[in-house]
Amino acid sequence: MNEQTNDTRARLTHHSLRVWNEALELVRVTKAAGIRDAVVRDQAHRAAVSVALNLAEGAGRASKTRLQHFSIARGSVIELVAAFEVAEALGEKVPVDEVCERGATVSRMLSGLLKR
């Protein structure tokens, strides 16, 4: 079963993008951050998931729709970073610097995809 799953994944477009792994890491970091404020935590989670899912959907689309999904993903990166900054402003100890750095990397990579 595992071999078949890996074969299927290898054929999907978004798996060939390096930014996909970075987006998944943002999801993992967001979950592990343990933001206590429920509203901020939920918004950060939605933003992180939005980055990954819009990236994947855009990778499977053509031209204008593709660019729209990549652009939405880039906006969600900014939203995610802002959520961590808000959590920090509320006195929470969260990895703002890590999310900022990873977010900047993902944003640059998405900008590159938008220029293609």
Side-chain angles (χ1 to χ4, degrees):
M1 179 90 169
N2 259 349
E3 288 179 32
Q4 185 178 13
T5 302
N6 288 336
D7 288 345
T8 302
R9 285 185 185 174
R11 290 190 296 256
L12 297 174
T13 310
H14 65 285
H15 290 126
S16 67
L17 300 174
R18 288 183 306 150
V19 68
W20 170 247
N21 291 321
E22 294 294 329
L24 288 180
E25 195 55 36
L26 279 174
V27 172
R28 290 181 191 107
V29 168
T30 299
K31 182 170 175 76
I35 297 171
R36 290 186 315 270
D37 185 282
V39 173
V40 178
R41 181 184 60 244
D42 292 346
Q43 194 67 29
H45 176 76
R46 281 193 300 274
V49 170
S50 176
V51 173
L53 295 180
N54 275 291
L55 170 64
E57 186 168 358
R61 300 285 184 151
S63 64
K64 187 177 179 182
T65 307
R66 175 183 177 95
L67 298 179
Q68 182 179 11
H69 283 285
F70 290 162
S71 182
I72 292 168
R74 192 171 58 180
S76 293
V77 169
I78 304 305
E79 181 181 13
L80 176 60
V81 171
F84 272 78
E85 291 169 335
V86 167
E88 183 181 56
L90 293 172
E92 297 201 35
K93 300 246 188 262
V94 292
V96 178
D97 291 340
E98 179 182 2
V99 171
C100 239
E101 288 175 28
R102 287 184 181 279
T105 298
V106 169
S107 183
R108 278 192 304 276
M109 295 170 102
L110 286 166
S111 292
L113 290 172
L114 285 164
K115 291 178 183 177
R116 285 186 183 179

PDB file of all heavy atoms in Angstrom, residues 20-59:
ATOM      1  N   TRP A  20       6.233  23.372  -2.083  1.00  0.00           N
ATOM      2  CA  TRP A  20       5.240  22.513  -1.444  1.00  0.00           C
ATOM      3  C   TRP A  20       5.738  22.041  -0.077  1.00  0.00           C
ATOM      4  O   TRP A  20       5.019  22.101   0.925  1.00  0.00           O
ATOM      5  CB  TRP A  20       4.897  21.326  -2.342  1.00  0.00           C
ATOM      6  CG  TRP A  20       4.067  20.270  -1.666  1.00  0.00           C
ATOM      7  CD1 TRP A  20       4.452  19.000  -1.369  1.00  0.00           C
ATOM      8  CD2 TRP A  20       2.721  20.388  -1.183  1.00  0.00           C
ATOM      9  NE1 TRP A  20       3.424  18.321  -0.737  1.00  0.00           N
ATOM     10  CE2 TRP A  20       2.350  19.163  -0.614  1.00  0.00           C
ATOM     11  CE3 TRP A  20       1.797  21.430  -1.178  1.00  0.00           C
ATOM     12  CZ2 TRP A  20       1.107  18.932  -0.051  1.00  0.00           C
ATOM     13  CZ3 TRP A  20       0.549  21.206  -0.605  1.00  0.00           C
ATOM     14  CH2 TRP A  20       0.217  19.975  -0.054  1.00  0.00           C
ATOM     15  N   ASN A  21       6.979  21.580  -0.020  1.00  0.00           N
ATOM     16  CA  ASN A  21       7.548  21.113   1.256  1.00  0.00           C
ATOM     17  C   ASN A  21       7.658  22.250   2.264  1.00  0.00           C
ATOM     18  O   ASN A  21       7.431  22.051   3.459  1.00  0.00           O
ATOM     19  CB  ASN A  21       8.904  20.452   1.029  1.00  0.00           C
ATOM     20  CG  ASN A  21       8.759  19.148   0.291  1.00  0.00           C
ATOM     21  OD1 ASN A  21       7.834  18.393   0.536  1.00  0.00           O
ATOM     22  ND2 ASN A  21       9.649  18.882  -0.639  1.00  0.00           N
ATOM     23  N   GLU A  22       7.995  23.431   1.783  1.00  0.00           N
ATOM     24  CA  GLU A  22       8.072  24.600   2.671  1.00  0.00           C
ATOM     25  C   GLU A  22       6.688  24.949   3.219  1.00  0.00           C
ATOM     26  O   GLU A  22       6.545  25.297   4.389  1.00  0.00           O
ATOM     27  CB  GLU A  22       8.665  25.798   1.932  1.00  0.00           C
ATOM     28  CG  GLU A  22      10.113  25.625   1.526  1.00  0.00           C
ATOM     29  CD  GLU A  22      11.061  25.534   2.720  1.00  0.00           C
ATOM     30  OE1 GLU A  22      10.770  26.149   3.774  1.00  0.00           O
ATOM     31  OE2 GLU A  22      12.090  24.859   2.594  1.00  0.00           O
ATOM     32  N   ALA A  23       5.673  24.849   2.374  1.00  0.00           N
ATOM     33  CA  ALA A  23       4.302  25.139   2.807  1.00  0.00           C
ATOM     34  C   ALA A  23       3.853  24.129   3.873  1.00  0.00           C
ATOM     35  O   ALA A  23       3.222  24.505   4.867  1.00  0.00           O
ATOM     36  CB  ALA A  23       3.356  25.126   1.612  1.00  0.00           C
ATOM     37  N   LEU A  24       4.173  22.865   3.659  1.00  0.00           N
ATOM     38  CA  LEU A  24       3.828  21.851   4.660  1.00  0.00           C
ATOM     39  C   LEU A  24       4.546  22.116   5.977  1.00  0.00           C
ATOM     40  O   LEU A  24       3.982  21.901   7.062  1.00  0.00           O
ATOM     41  CB  LEU A  24       4.181  20.448   4.150  1.00  0.00           C
ATOM     42  CG  LEU A  24       3.291  19.888   3.051  1.00  0.00           C
ATOM     43  CD1 LEU A  24       3.759  18.496   2.646  1.00  0.00           C
ATOM     44  CD2 LEU A  24       1.838  19.866   3.477  1.00  0.00           C
ATOM     45  N   GLU A  25       5.763  22.593   5.896  1.00  0.00           N
ATOM     46  CA  GLU A  25       6.501  22.900   7.128  1.00  0.00           C
ATOM     47  C   GLU A  25       5.843  24.055   7.877  1.00  0.00           C
ATOM     48  O   GLU A  25       5.801  24.060   9.107  1.00  0.00           O
ATOM     49  CB  GLU A  25       7.970  23.216   6.809  1.00  0.00           C
ATOM     50  CG  GLU A  25       8.868  23.181   8.013  1.00  0.00           C
ATOM     51  CD  GLU A  25       8.818  21.871   8.809  1.00  0.00           C
ATOM     52  OE1 GLU A  25       8.674  20.778   8.217  1.00  0.00           O
ATOM     53  OE2 GLU A  25       8.924  21.947  10.050  1.00  0.00           O
ATOM     54  N   LEU A  26       5.307  25.027   7.162  1.00  0.00           N
ATOM     55  CA  LEU A  26       4.565  26.113   7.819  1.00  0.00           C
ATOM     56  C   LEU A  26       3.343  25.559   8.563  1.00  0.00           C
ATOM     57  O   LEU A  26       3.033  26.013   9.668  1.00  0.00           O
ATOM     58  CB  LEU A  26       4.118  27.161   6.801  1.00  0.00           C
ATOM     59  CG  LEU A  26       5.158  28.181   6.378  1.00  0.00           C
ATOM     60  CD1 LEU A  26       4.611  29.059   5.254  1.00  0.00           C
ATOM     61  CD2 LEU A  26       5.595  29.047   7.560  1.00  0.00           C
ATOM     62  N   VAL A  27       2.676  24.585   7.981  1.00  0.00           N
ATOM     63  CA  VAL A  27       1.528  23.956   8.649  1.00  0.00           C
ATOM     64  C   VAL A  27       1.994  23.265   9.935  1.00  0.00           C
ATOM     65  O   VAL A  27       1.384  23.420  11.000  1.00  0.00           O
ATOM     66  CB  VAL A  27       0.812  22.948   7.715  1.00  0.00           C
ATOM     67  CG1 VAL A  27      -0.251  22.169   8.470  1.00  0.00           C
ATOM     68  CG2 VAL A  27       0.208  23.664   6.518  1.00  0.00           C
ATOM     69  N   ARG A  28       3.096  22.538   9.845  1.00  0.00           N
ATOM     70  CA  ARG A  28       3.623  21.825  11.020  1.00  0.00           C
ATOM     71  C   ARG A  28       4.043  22.794  12.131  1.00  0.00           C
ATOM     72  O   ARG A  28       3.741  22.578  13.308  1.00  0.00           O
ATOM     73  CB  ARG A  28       4.804  20.952  10.615  1.00  0.00           C
ATOM     74  CG  ARG A  28       4.429  19.764   9.786  1.00  0.00           C
ATOM     75  CD  ARG A  28       5.661  18.918   9.436  1.00  0.00           C
ATOM     76  NE  ARG A  28       5.322  17.940   8.435  1.00  0.00           N
ATOM     77  CZ  ARG A  28       5.700  17.989   7.161  1.00  0.00           C
ATOM     78  NH1 ARG A  28       6.471  18.960   6.724  1.00  0.00           N
ATOM     79  NH2 ARG A  28       5.322  17.049   6.314  1.00  0.00           N
ATOM     80  N   VAL A  29       4.755  23.849  11.752  1.00  0.00           N
ATOM     81  CA  VAL A  29       5.218  24.835  12.742  1.00  0.00           C
ATOM     82  C   VAL A  29       4.018  25.510  13.403  1.00  0.00           C
ATOM     83  O   VAL A  29       4.011  25.729  14.619  1.00  0.00           O
ATOM     84  CB  VAL A  29       6.149  25.880  12.078  1.00  0.00           C
ATOM     85  CG1 VAL A  29       6.411  27.055  12.997  1.00  0.00           C
ATOM     86  CG2 VAL A  29       7.460  25.233  11.655  1.00  0.00           C
ATOM     87  N   THR A  30       3.001  25.807  12.622  1.00  0.00           N
ATOM     88  CA  THR A  30       1.808  26.458  13.161  1.00  0.00           C
ATOM     89  C   THR A  30       1.108  25.554  14.176  1.00  0.00           C
ATOM     90  O   THR A  30       0.725  25.998  15.265  1.00  0.00           O
ATOM     91  CB  THR A  30       0.836  26.833  12.016  1.00  0.00           C
ATOM     92  OG1 THR A  30       1.506  27.741  11.132  1.00  0.00           O
ATOM     93  CG2 THR A  30      -0.422  27.478  12.545  1.00  0.00           C
ATOM     94  N   LYS A  31       0.979  24.296  13.844  1.00  0.00           N
ATOM     95  CA  LYS A  31       0.329  23.349  14.769  1.00  0.00           C
ATOM     96  C   LYS A  31       1.153  23.201  16.054  1.00  0.00           C
ATOM     97  O   LYS A  31       0.612  23.206  17.155  1.00  0.00           O
ATOM     98  CB  LYS A  31       0.151  21.990  14.103  1.00  0.00           C
ATOM     99  CG  LYS A  31      -0.549  20.987  15.003  1.00  0.00           C
ATOM    100  CD  LYS A  31      -0.922  19.740  14.248  1.00  0.00           C
ATOM    101  CE  LYS A  31      -1.510  18.681  15.134  1.00  0.00           C
ATOM    102  NZ  LYS A  31      -2.863  18.910  15.542  1.00  0.00           N
ATOM    103  N   ALA A  32       2.461  23.097  15.903  1.00  0.00           N
ATOM    104  CA  ALA A  32       3.346  22.895  17.056  1.00  0.00           C
ATOM    105  C   ALA A  32       3.468  24.143  17.928  1.00  0.00           C
ATOM    106  O   ALA A  32       3.842  24.038  19.098  1.00  0.00           O
ATOM    107  CB  ALA A  32       4.730  22.458  16.576  1.00  0.00           C
ATOM    108  N   ALA A  33       3.145  25.306  17.389  1.00  0.00           N
ATOM    109  CA  ALA A  33       3.322  26.558  18.137  1.00  0.00           C
ATOM    110  C   ALA A  33       2.440  26.624  19.374  1.00  0.00           C
ATOM    111  O   ALA A  33       2.797  27.276  20.354  1.00  0.00           O
ATOM    112  CB  ALA A  33       3.044  27.753  17.224  1.00  0.00           C
ATOM    113  N   GLY A  34       1.297  25.960  19.328  1.00  0.00           N
ATOM    114  CA  GLY A  34       0.424  25.944  20.496  1.00  0.00           C
ATOM    115  C   GLY A  34      -0.082  27.315  20.904  1.00  0.00           C
ATOM    116  O   GLY A  34      -0.086  27.653  22.090  1.00  0.00           O
ATOM    117  N   ILE A  35      -0.507  28.102  19.936  1.00  0.00           N
ATOM    118  CA  ILE A  35      -1.054  29.426  20.246  1.00  0.00           C
ATOM    119  C   ILE A  35      -2.278  29.231  21.150  1.00  0.00           C
ATOM    120  O   ILE A  35      -3.181  28.469  20.832  1.00  0.00           O
ATOM    121  CB  ILE A  35      -1.433  30.168  18.940  1.00  0.00           C
ATOM    122  CG1 ILE A  35      -0.178  30.398  18.087  1.00  0.00           C
ATOM    123  CG2 ILE A  35      -2.126  31.495  19.252  1.00  0.00           C
ATOM    124  CD1 ILE A  35      -0.454  30.931  16.686  1.00  0.00           C
ATOM    125  N   ARG A  36      -2.270  29.919  22.279  1.00  0.00           N
ATOM    126  CA  ARG A  36      -3.340  29.734  23.268  1.00  0.00           C
ATOM    127  C   ARG A  36      -4.628  30.457  22.893  1.00  0.00           C
ATOM    128  O   ARG A  36      -5.713  29.935  23.110  1.00  0.00           O
ATOM    129  CB  ARG A  36      -2.868  30.193  24.646  1.00  0.00           C
ATOM    130  CG  ARG A  36      -1.816  29.279  25.261  1.00  0.00           C
ATOM    131  CD  ARG A  36      -1.474  29.688  26.684  1.00  0.00           C
ATOM    132  NE  ARG A  36      -1.268  31.119  26.868  1.00  0.00           N
ATOM    133  CZ  ARG A  36      -0.089  31.743  26.751  1.00  0.00           C
ATOM    134  NH1 ARG A  36       0.993  31.056  26.464  1.00  0.00           N
ATOM    135  NH2 ARG A  36       0.011  33.041  26.938  1.00  0.00           N
ATOM    136  N   ASP A  37      -4.513  31.655  22.358  1.00  0.00           N
ATOM    137  CA  ASP A  37      -5.700  32.427  21.989  1.00  0.00           C
ATOM    138  C   ASP A  37      -6.427  31.703  20.857  1.00  0.00           C
ATOM    139  O   ASP A  37      -5.889  31.534  19.764  1.00  0.00           O
ATOM    140  CB  ASP A  37      -5.295  33.841  21.562  1.00  0.00           C
ATOM    141  CG  ASP A  37      -6.497  34.709  21.277  1.00  0.00           C
ATOM    142  OD1 ASP A  37      -7.096  34.548  20.180  1.00  0.00           O
ATOM    143  OD2 ASP A  37      -6.842  35.552  22.126  1.00  0.00           O
ATOM    144  N   ALA A  38      -7.647  31.268  21.130  1.00  0.00           N
ATOM    145  CA  ALA A  38      -8.385  30.426  20.178  1.00  0.00           C
ATOM    146  C   ALA A  38      -8.626  31.112  18.844  1.00  0.00           C
ATOM    147  O   ALA A  38      -8.500  30.485  17.787  1.00  0.00           O
ATOM    148  CB  ALA A  38      -9.714  29.990  20.786  1.00  0.00           C
ATOM    149  N   VAL A  39      -8.961  32.384  18.872  1.00  0.00           N
ATOM    150  CA  VAL A  39      -9.240  33.106  17.629  1.00  0.00           C
ATOM    151  C   VAL A  39      -7.978  33.209  16.775  1.00  0.00           C
ATOM    152  O   VAL A  39      -7.992  32.913  15.575  1.00  0.00           O
ATOM    153  CB  VAL A  39      -9.827  34.513  17.919  1.00  0.00           C
ATOM    154  CG1 VAL A  39      -9.952  35.331  16.645  1.00  0.00           C
ATOM    155  CG2 VAL A  39     -11.169  34.389  18.628  1.00  0.00           C
ATOM    156  N   VAL A  40      -6.884  33.598  17.397  1.00  0.00           N
ATOM    157  CA  VAL A  40      -5.620  33.737  16.661  1.00  0.00           C
ATOM    158  C   VAL A  40      -5.120  32.373  16.193  1.00  0.00           C
ATOM    159  O   VAL A  40      -4.659  32.220  15.061  1.00  0.00           O
ATOM    160  CB  VAL A  40      -4.557  34.465  17.517  1.00  0.00           C
ATOM    161  CG1 VAL A  40      -3.233  34.559  16.772  1.00  0.00           C
ATOM    162  CG2 VAL A  40      -5.049  35.855  17.911  1.00  0.00           C
ATOM    163  N   ARG A  41      -5.230  31.367  17.064  1.00  0.00           N
ATOM    164  CA  ARG A  41      -4.802  30.009  16.701  1.00  0.00           C
ATOM    165  C   ARG A  41      -5.565  29.503  15.483  1.00  0.00           C
ATOM    166  O   ARG A  41      -4.982  28.986  14.533  1.00  0.00           O
ATOM    167  CB  ARG A  41      -4.999  29.052  17.878  1.00  0.00           C
ATOM    168  CG  ARG A  41      -4.555  27.618  17.569  1.00  0.00           C
ATOM    169  CD  ARG A  41      -4.851  26.654  18.711  1.00  0.00           C
ATOM    170  NE  ARG A  41      -6.277  26.601  19.014  1.00  0.00           N
ATOM    171  CZ  ARG A  41      -6.820  26.984  20.172  1.00  0.00           C
ATOM    172  NH1 ARG A  41      -6.077  27.422  21.155  1.00  0.00           N
ATOM    173  NH2 ARG A  41      -8.131  26.907  20.350  1.00  0.00           N
ATOM    174  N   ASP A  42      -6.887  29.672  15.494  1.00  0.00           N
ATOM    175  CA  ASP A  42      -7.713  29.190  14.386  1.00  0.00           C
ATOM    176  C   ASP A  42      -7.391  29.953  13.095  1.00  0.00           C
ATOM    177  O   ASP A  42      -7.319  29.364  12.019  1.00  0.00           O
ATOM    178  CB  ASP A  42      -9.200  29.321  14.719  1.00  0.00           C
ATOM    179  CG  ASP A  42      -9.625  28.375  15.825  1.00  0.00           C
ATOM    180  OD1 ASP A  42      -8.856  27.435  16.155  1.00  0.00           O
ATOM    181  OD2 ASP A  42     -10.723  28.576  16.378  1.00  0.00           O
ATOM    182  N   GLN A  43      -7.193  31.244  13.220  1.00  0.00           N
ATOM    183  CA  GLN A  43      -6.871  32.044  12.032  1.00  0.00           C
ATOM    184  C   GLN A  43      -5.501  31.651  11.477  1.00  0.00           C
ATOM    185  O   GLN A  43      -5.329  31.538  10.261  1.00  0.00           O
ATOM    186  CB  GLN A  43      -6.892  33.539  12.376  1.00  0.00           C
ATOM    187  CG  GLN A  43      -6.896  34.429  11.160  1.00  0.00           C
ATOM    188  CD  GLN A  43      -8.183  34.313  10.356  1.00  0.00           C
ATOM    189  OE1 GLN A  43      -9.246  34.016  10.889  1.00  0.00           O
ATOM    190  NE2 GLN A  43      -8.076  34.513   9.060  1.00  0.00           N
ATOM    191  N   ALA A  44      -4.533  31.433  12.352  1.00  0.00           N
ATOM    192  CA  ALA A  44      -3.200  31.007  11.910  1.00  0.00           C
ATOM    193  C   ALA A  44      -3.284  29.650  11.223  1.00  0.00           C
ATOM    194  O   ALA A  44      -2.669  29.434  10.166  1.00  0.00           O
ATOM    195  CB  ALA A  44      -2.237  30.950  13.100  1.00  0.00           C
ATOM    196  N   HIS A  45      -4.048  28.741  11.811  1.00  0.00           N
ATOM    197  CA  HIS A  45      -4.219  27.407  11.220  1.00  0.00           C
ATOM    198  C   HIS A  45      -4.853  27.506   9.831  1.00  0.00           C
ATOM    199  O   HIS A  45      -4.378  26.897   8.873  1.00  0.00           O
ATOM    200  CB  HIS A  45      -5.065  26.532  12.143  1.00  0.00           C
ATOM    201  CG  HIS A  45      -5.370  25.195  11.570  1.00  0.00           C
ATOM    202  ND1 HIS A  45      -4.441  24.171  11.516  1.00  0.00           N
ATOM    203  CD2 HIS A  45      -6.501  24.709  10.996  1.00  0.00           C
ATOM    204  CE1 HIS A  45      -4.989  23.129  10.928  1.00  0.00           C
ATOM    205  NE2 HIS A  45      -6.230  23.422  10.609  1.00  0.00           N
ATOM    206  N   ARG A  46      -5.923  28.293   9.721  1.00  0.00           N
ATOM    207  CA  ARG A  46      -6.589  28.450   8.418  1.00  0.00           C
ATOM    208  C   ARG A  46      -5.646  29.059   7.384  1.00  0.00           C
ATOM    209  O   ARG A  46      -5.630  28.642   6.224  1.00  0.00           O
ATOM    210  CB  ARG A  46      -7.848  29.303   8.554  1.00  0.00           C
ATOM    211  CG  ARG A  46      -9.029  28.543   9.114  1.00  0.00           C
ATOM    212  CD  ARG A  46     -10.339  29.312   8.939  1.00  0.00           C
ATOM    213  NE  ARG A  46     -10.325  30.607   9.612  1.00  0.00           N
ATOM    214  CZ  ARG A  46     -10.634  30.783  10.885  1.00  0.00           C
ATOM    215  NH1 ARG A  46     -10.971  29.751  11.637  1.00  0.00           N
ATOM    216  NH2 ARG A  46     -10.618  31.982  11.407  1.00  0.00           N
ATOM    217  N   ALA A  47      -4.849  30.043   7.799  1.00  0.00           N
ATOM    218  CA  ALA A  47      -3.921  30.680   6.866  1.00  0.00           C
ATOM    219  C   ALA A  47      -2.845  29.695   6.402  1.00  0.00           C
ATOM    220  O   ALA A  47      -2.532  29.623   5.209  1.00  0.00           O
ATOM    221  CB  ALA A  47      -3.274  31.909   7.514  1.00  0.00           C
ATOM    222  N   ALA A  48      -2.294  28.926   7.330  1.00  0.00           N
ATOM    223  CA  ALA A  48      -1.252  27.957   6.966  1.00  0.00           C
ATOM    224  C   ALA A  48      -1.796  26.898   6.010  1.00  0.00           C
ATOM    225  O   ALA A  48      -1.154  26.547   5.010  1.00  0.00           O
ATOM    226  CB  ALA A  48      -0.681  27.290   8.223  1.00  0.00           C
ATOM    227  N   VAL A  49      -2.989  26.404   6.311  1.00  0.00           N
ATOM    228  CA  VAL A  49      -3.611  25.406   5.440  1.00  0.00           C
ATOM    229  C   VAL A  49      -3.937  26.028   4.085  1.00  0.00           C
ATOM    230  O   VAL A  49      -3.763  25.393   3.038  1.00  0.00           O
ATOM    231  CB  VAL A  49      -4.863  24.802   6.119  1.00  0.00           C
ATOM    232  CG1 VAL A  49      -5.669  23.959   5.153  1.00  0.00           C
ATOM    233  CG2 VAL A  49      -4.439  23.971   7.333  1.00  0.00           C
ATOM    234  N   SER A  50      -4.370  27.261   4.071  1.00  0.00           N
ATOM    235  CA  SER A  50      -4.682  27.952   2.822  1.00  0.00           C
ATOM    236  C   SER A  50      -3.452  28.073   1.923  1.00  0.00           C
ATOM    237  O   SER A  50      -3.552  27.918   0.704  1.00  0.00           O
ATOM    238  CB  SER A  50      -5.253  29.343   3.116  1.00  0.00           C
ATOM    239  OG  SER A  50      -5.484  30.052   1.921  1.00  0.00           O
ATOM    240  N   VAL A  51      -2.310  28.346   2.522  1.00  0.00           N
ATOM    241  CA  VAL A  51      -1.067  28.417   1.740  1.00  0.00           C
ATOM    242  C   VAL A  51      -0.862  27.097   1.002  1.00  0.00           C
ATOM    243  O   VAL A  51      -0.688  27.064  -0.217  1.00  0.00           O
ATOM    244  CB  VAL A  51       0.165  28.721   2.626  1.00  0.00           C
ATOM    245  CG1 VAL A  51       1.454  28.610   1.822  1.00  0.00           C
ATOM    246  CG2 VAL A  51       0.056  30.095   3.263  1.00  0.00           C
ATOM    247  N   ALA A  52      -0.894  26.008   1.740  1.00  0.00           N
ATOM    248  CA  ALA A  52      -0.622  24.689   1.155  1.00  0.00           C
ATOM    249  C   ALA A  52      -1.671  24.291   0.120  1.00  0.00           C
ATOM    250  O   ALA A  52      -1.338  23.839  -0.980  1.00  0.00           O
ATOM    251  CB  ALA A  52      -0.531  23.634   2.263  1.00  0.00           C
ATOM    252  N   LEU A  53      -2.941  24.467   0.456  1.00  0.00           N
ATOM    253  CA  LEU A  53      -3.993  24.007  -0.440  1.00  0.00           C
ATOM    254  C   LEU A  53      -4.099  24.855  -1.706  1.00  0.00           C
ATOM    255  O   LEU A  53      -4.320  24.324  -2.798  1.00  0.00           O
ATOM    256  CB  LEU A  53      -5.334  23.956   0.290  1.00  0.00           C
ATOM    257  CG  LEU A  53      -5.414  22.932   1.420  1.00  0.00           C
ATOM    258  CD1 LEU A  53      -6.785  22.964   2.079  1.00  0.00           C
ATOM    259  CD2 LEU A  53      -5.098  21.532   0.916  1.00  0.00           C
ATOM    260  N   ASN A  54      -3.932  26.167  -1.585  1.00  0.00           N
ATOM    261  CA  ASN A  54      -3.964  27.007  -2.788  1.00  0.00           C
ATOM    262  C   ASN A  54      -2.750  26.759  -3.676  1.00  0.00           C
ATOM    263  O   ASN A  54      -2.858  26.785  -4.898  1.00  0.00           O
ATOM    264  CB  ASN A  54      -4.095  28.484  -2.424  1.00  0.00           C
ATOM    265  CG  ASN A  54      -5.531  28.864  -2.217  1.00  0.00           C
ATOM    266  OD1 ASN A  54      -6.315  28.893  -3.153  1.00  0.00           O
ATOM    267  ND2 ASN A  54      -5.892  29.117  -0.964  1.00  0.00           N
ATOM    268  N   LEU A  55      -1.622  26.486  -3.057  1.00  0.00           N
ATOM    269  CA  LEU A  55      -0.431  26.129  -3.831  1.00  0.00           C
ATOM    270  C   LEU A  55      -0.679  24.845  -4.616  1.00  0.00           C
ATOM    271  O   LEU A  55      -0.421  24.771  -5.822  1.00  0.00           O
ATOM    272  CB  LEU A  55       0.765  25.958  -2.894  1.00  0.00           C
ATOM    273  CG  LEU A  55       2.022  25.359  -3.489  1.00  0.00           C
ATOM    274  CD1 LEU A  55       2.587  26.272  -4.570  1.00  0.00           C
ATOM    275  CD2 LEU A  55       3.037  25.123  -2.412  1.00  0.00           C
ATOM    276  N   ALA A  56      -1.219  23.836  -3.946  1.00  0.00           N
ATOM    277  CA  ALA A  56      -1.484  22.558  -4.608  1.00  0.00           C
ATOM    278  C   ALA A  56      -2.512  22.729  -5.721  1.00  0.00           C
ATOM    279  O   ALA A  56      -2.334  22.211  -6.828  1.00  0.00           O
ATOM    280  CB  ALA A  56      -1.974  21.530  -3.587  1.00  0.00           C
ATOM    281  N   GLU A  57      -3.588  23.452  -5.429  1.00  0.00           N
ATOM    282  CA  GLU A  57      -4.613  23.624  -6.459  1.00  0.00           C
ATOM    283  C   GLU A  57      -4.080  24.422  -7.644  1.00  0.00           C
ATOM    284  O   GLU A  57      -4.326  24.082  -8.802  1.00  0.00           O
ATOM    285  CB  GLU A  57      -5.858  24.309  -5.891  1.00  0.00           C
ATOM    286  CG  GLU A  57      -6.983  24.355  -6.901  1.00  0.00           C
ATOM    287  CD  GLU A  57      -8.321  24.754  -6.319  1.00  0.00           C
ATOM    288  OE1 GLU A  57      -8.438  24.975  -5.095  1.00  0.00           O
ATOM    289  OE2 GLU A  57      -9.276  24.835  -7.121  1.00  0.00           O
ATOM    290  N   GLY A  58      -3.320  25.465  -7.361  1.00  0.00           N
ATOM    291  CA  GLY A  58      -2.734  26.257  -8.447  1.00  0.00           C
ATOM    292  C   GLY A  58      -1.814  25.442  -9.329  1.00  0.00           C
ATOM    293  O   GLY A  58      -1.783  25.602 -10.547  1.00  0.00           O
ATOM    294  N   ALA A  59      -1.062  24.536  -8.714  1.00  0.00           N
ATOM    295  CA  ALA A  59      -0.133  23.696  -9.479  1.00  0.00           C
ATOM    296  C   ALA A  59      -0.879  22.803 -10.468  1.00  0.00           C
ATOM    297  O   ALA A  59      -0.336  22.440 -11.512  1.00  0.00           O
ATOM    298  CB  ALA A  59       0.709  22.839  -8.541  1.00  0.00           C
TER     299      ALA A  59
END
